[in-house]
Amino acid sequence: MIAARNYRLVPHQDTPGLPLGISLNVPILRKRTLREAVLPADHAALLDLLHTALELEHP
C-alpha cells in the first residue's frame, strides 16, 4: 500500500510539464498476501508436469 502523500509524478523528458507516470521509488506502508491462491486440480496437474519436464523441485 502506498500513501497518496508519497506519490511522485515522473515528468516527461521532452515536455517537463507533462507527467509521464508515477515513480515506483516510494516507501511501502504495508505488504501482505490477501489470500493464498488455490489452483484447480487440472491446473495443479499441469504445473506438476511442467516442474517434471523442467526438472524443478515440486513445492
Side-chain angles (χ1 to χ4, degrees):
M1 183 184 308
I2 300 171
R5 68 180 174 273
N6 292 325
Y7 281 22
R8 295 183 189 123
L9 293 178
V10 177
H12 195 277
Q13 291 179 353
D14 297 333
T15 313
L18 180 66
L20 183 63
I22 298 173
S23 173
L24 297 178
N25 188 18
V26 296
I28 304 297
L29 299 177
R30 180 176 30 173
K31 182 178 176 181
R32 65 182 173 102
T33 304
L34 295 178
R35 62 182 171 89
E36 292 294 323
V38 178
L39 289 177
D42 55 338
H43 292 184
L46 289 173
L47 187 57
D48 285 340
L49 285 173
L50 183 62
H51 281 141
T52 302
L54 296 176
E55 298 179 354
L56 299 173
E57 291 182 24
H58 291 271

